[in-house]
Amino acid sequence: MFTLLAVHYDDCIPGWNTVREAIPYHVIVLMVEGTATYTINGVTHRVEAGDLLVIPKGTVRAGSNTEAPHRKYTVLFNLIDDANADAQLLLPSHFMRMKISNYEYVLKRFSRLFQERWEGKPYHESICLGILIELLGVAKREPISPAVEPIKFYLARKIHLELQTHYRESIQISELAKLIGRSPNYTIAMFKKALGMTPIEYVHQLRVQEASSLLLESTMSVTEISDYLGFYDTSHFYRVFKKMMKESPSAYITNRKGC
């Protein structure tokens, strides 16, 4: 199957560049923020946030920052057994670049892969391999799935940034629609197609992510966390948290603190 060589998260590295060479491994990249320039077999590509790249072994590749540093995940891997037909099916024969339709989900999988590799807990090798295979499957399937038009991805990204900044506030779909000059129904459908969830579901995801940290690392009560994160009331917070985490806030604390 595959052997994982490295997983990197480039976080705004000044002067980032890679030398021009025929790479001795396969690479899969997710651009998270900003832009970068890749030269692939002599052709220059401007890679933007939301782009997924798969670069096969032997490709002549070079890369550098554009206007400013960027953020991206990079995974290096190789094929152990060239005769493995299943593994060969997952590997493209040529360079692939695509906009990912379910970007938030794919971003979470890259993040989990990086975390598992970095922490090195028991069985992390199997978990990392499973995530890598999933990401390669997503990359092979994406070109035959309905594409997200560039304008829709741009508008979804605009809302995405707005929600990241104001997720603790009351979210009105009508205001998000005004932000991009579209109708509320269009706004919901477009965002879901681009990111795989509605704006409200994304806000809940952000709130629950922060709640998970606050429950374990702060002295705030469940009611205080609920109010702080902008939920209607504590019971609403409980319902949303349990739906996403598959356990209640109190069970979440008990299972992780062992108390």
Side-chain angles (χ1 to χ4, degrees):
M1 190 52 80
F2 301 110
T3 179
L4 191 61
L5 303 177
V7 183
H8 302 297
Y9 179 60
D10 297 338
D11 189 3
C12 295
I13 301 174
W16 173 83
N17 70 84
T18 59
V19 298
R20 183 178 181 276
E21 63 173 348
I23 55 174
Y25 39 70
H26 303 281
V27 182
I28 184 168
V29 178
L30 180 68
M31 185 64 71
V32 177
E33 184 177 318
T35 60
T37 298
Y38 276 83
T39 302
I40 305 294
N41 292 329
V43 179
T44 299
H45 302 264
R46 179 187 173 90
V47 182
E48 304 172 338
D51 283 349
L52 181 73
L53 313 180
V54 184
I55 311 174
K57 180 179 179 178
T59 301
V60 179
R61 176 216 62 184
S64 63
N65 279 330
T66 50
E67 297 85 1
H70 59 271
R71 292 185 172 93
K72 72 176 185 298
Y73 286 101
T74 305
V75 181
L76 281 57
F77 63 98
N78 258 327
L79 186 62
I80 297 176
D81 181 6
D82 289 340
N84 189 313
D86 291 336
Q88 287 285 1
L89 283 174
L90 289 172
L91 288 174
S93 59
H94 58 280
F95 168 70
M96 295 176 65
R97 172 191 176 190
M98 66 204 79
K99 285 287 185 196
I100 284 297
S101 55
N102 198 352
Y103 171 77
E104 285 301 321
Y105 176 78
V106 173
L107 174 60
K108 285 196 296 184
R109 301 308 285 155
F110 270 94
S111 177
R112 176 73 186 278
L113 177 57
F114 177 78
Q115 181 181 358
E116 288 287 346
R117 177 77 172 182
W118 182 77
E119 291 180 347
K121 294 180 180 179
Y123 307 108
H124 76 277
E125 296 96 340
S126 298
I127 294 172
C128 288
L129 179 60
I131 297 173
L132 172 62
I133 291 171
E134 179 186 6
L135 292 173
L136 290 171
V138 168
K140 288 298 289 286
R141 185 175 62 186
E142 192 74 14
I144 60 176
S145 301
V148 178
E149 297 89 336
I151 183 58
K152 288 185 178 179
F153 187 86
Y154 168 78
L155 295 175
R157 188 68 174 167
K158 194 172 182 179
I159 293 175
H160 174 250
L161 295 174
E162 178 74 8
L163 295 178
Q164 282 188 323
T165 304
H166 302 288
Y167 67 92
R168 289 171 47 205
E169 303 171 16
S170 176
I171 303 300
Q172 302 296 327
I173 297 298
S174 58
E175 293 301 315
L176 297 178
K178 283 183 183 178
L179 179 67
I180 62 172
R182 299 293 194 277
S183 71
N185 286 342
Y186 177 94
T187 300
I188 294 171
M190 174 272 301
F191 191 88
K192 185 169 185 178
K193 183 174 182 181
L195 279 84
M197 65 187 82
T198 68
I200 298 301
E201 288 170 339
Y202 180 59
V203 167
H204 285 168
Q205 181 185 88
L206 293 176
R207 290 178 178 179
V208 168
Q209 284 175 348
E210 184 161 357
S212 301
S213 297
L214 292 173
L215 287 168
L216 299 178
E217 300 171 9
S218 78
T219 58
M220 297 170 69
S221 68
V222 171
T223 299
E224 288 171 334
I225 291 173
S226 173
D227 292 341
Y228 174 73
L229 293 175
F231 286 96
Y232 303 138
D233 52 37
T234 306
S235 62
H236 181 227
F237 169 57
Y238 263 87
R239 290 195 301 273
V240 173
F241 190 94
K242 189 170 184 178
K243 181 179 179 181
M244 295 190 66
M245 303 301 290
K246 310 305 179 186
E247 57 187 345
S248 68
S250 55
Y252 180 84
I253 295 171
T254 300
N255 291 335
R256 282 150 186 82
K257 287 191 173 183
C259 54

